[in-house]
Amino acid sequence: MMSEDRRLVAVVTGANRGIGKAIVRRLLLQTAKPMIIYLTARSVERGQQAFDDLRREQLRAAHTDNELRFHQLDVSDVATMQAFVEYLTLMHGEHSVDVLINNAGGVVRGPAGDVVRTCDVDTAYRSVQLNYFSAVNVTSVMLPHMRPNGRVVFMATALAQLGIFSGDLPKVLVSDELTLSGLHIIENGFVSSVGKGTFSSYGFPPMPFAVAKAGLIAYARMLARVLAHDPRDLVFAAVCPGYVNTDMTGPYAPLTPDQGAETPAYIALTDDTKRLKRHNGGLWKHLKPLKW
């Protein structure tokens, strides 16, 4: 079924609402580069609704060069990742993806849907699984299928600055010796130390969401370093969208989801590859590199 379609292929995870949906909208309505955009979501119903909303918006705008597709993807379920990759390979060949935007994630919620703001072991575990391991697993599955000059984006937060850590952790997180297994040990160590009440003595703050996102920032840096000589010339970036008004942050955040989508869409679309390469693996915010 593979065609000779030369359009770029973009995949956005967790795209049925908020910033993820806004990223898809930006990619869909832009006219600079013909694209096939995969809107993915865990829920088929909510993903299909987002697809229908954006497709209607595309038709009203009369920008029909780009194609929107929906595919179910649960970033916590390896089986759905493998099924999606098999579908992409069938449709687009072994190297099937130009842009991967890891947007799925979020804060931990309680039974009533309220945001959990405590730093207990359950919250730490769920946050690290949701915001770190899920994105790492998706990327690990997708990386062999990235096309030359492919771009991989991790949605992060400036709250995950190195300054929230103490002791040796800041130095370890930016070390050129850091491996993926070492990064896993750090993230799992945070969860374990929260359970024991010793997290502060190891240099961790009582901020599960930020600790998990810091792991992604370190992961982007590590991938850029480890794959620096990969012939595909891949680009990696962590992006802070800013304080965006979503169901995660509440109504007082000043930025719209569309504003939060600006920088990840820029990384995906810009022709200034020299700029991206200069800051490969770095953290970005408001279209600019941000010192971590």
Side-chain angles (χ1 to χ4, degrees), residues 12 15 23 30 69 84 124 180 186-187 189 207 212-213 216 246 255-256:
V12 185
I23 293 170
Q30 58 84 28
R69 299 179 184 178
F84 183 40
L180 183 56
I186 290 172
E187 293 292 325
M207 303 164 65
K213 290 297 189 179
L216 284 189
T246 67
L255 301 180
T256 65

Side-chain angles (χ1 to χ4, degrees), residues 101-170:
I101 299 180
N102 289 285
N103 174 74
V107 293
V108 174
R109 296 184 181 275
D114 53 318
V115 176
V116 177
R117 303 190 184 280
T118 56
C119 184
D120 55 73
V121 67
D122 179 66
T123 303
Y125 174 79
R126 290 165 63 192
S127 188
V128 166
Q129 291 295 319
L130 178 64
N131 293 293
Y132 171 73
F133 280 107
S134 292
V136 170
N137 290 340
V138 169
T139 303
S140 297
V141 170
M142 291 286 190
L143 268 180
H145 304 279
M146 296 298 297
R147 290 174 173 171
N149 304 306
R151 298 171 186 187
V152 179
V153 176
F154 301 94
M155 298 305 293
T157 174
L159 295 175
Q161 285 285 351
L162 282 177
I164 67 173
F165 299 96
S166 60
D168 291 333
L169 272 178

Side-chain angles (χ1 to χ4, degrees), residues 200-213:
S200 61
S201 64
Y202 288 100
F204 293 109
M207 303 164 65
F209 179 75
V211 171
K213 290 297 189 179

Side-chain angles (χ1 to χ4, degrees), residues 42-154:
R42 179 180 56 194
S43 166
V44 172
E45 181 181 1
R46 290 193 290 268
Q48 189 64 53
Q49 181 61 57
F51 171 90
D52 292 341
D53 292 345
L54 292 175
R55 181 68 178 131
R56 283 192 292 268
E57 189 171 342
Q58 182 189 25
L59 292 174
R60 287 195 299 270
H63 296 324
T64 56
D65 288 343
N66 300 321
E67 181 179 350
L68 181 62
R69 299 179 184 178
F70 169 68
H71 201 286
Q72 195 266 344
L73 176 63
D74 183 346
V75 298
S76 66
D77 183 352
V78 175
T80 71
M81 297 180 207
Q82 294 291 354
F84 183 40
V85 167
E86 289 174 9
Y87 175 82
L88 290 172
T89 301
L90 181 66
M91 298 301 294
H92 306 290
E94 184 64 24
H95 294 98
S96 50
V97 180
D98 297 282
V99 176
L100 170 62
I101 299 180
N102 289 285
N103 174 74
V107 293
V108 174
R109 296 184 181 275
D114 53 318
V115 176
V116 177
R117 303 190 184 280
T118 56
C119 184
D120 55 73
V121 67
D122 179 66
T123 303
Y125 174 79
R126 290 165 63 192
S127 188
V128 166
Q129 291 295 319
L130 178 64
N131 293 293
Y132 171 73
F133 280 107
S134 292
V136 170
N137 290 340
V138 169
T139 303
S140 297
V141 170
M142 291 286 190
L143 268 180
H145 304 279
M146 296 298 297
R147 290 174 173 171
N149 304 306
R151 298 171 186 187
V152 179
V153 176
F154 301 94

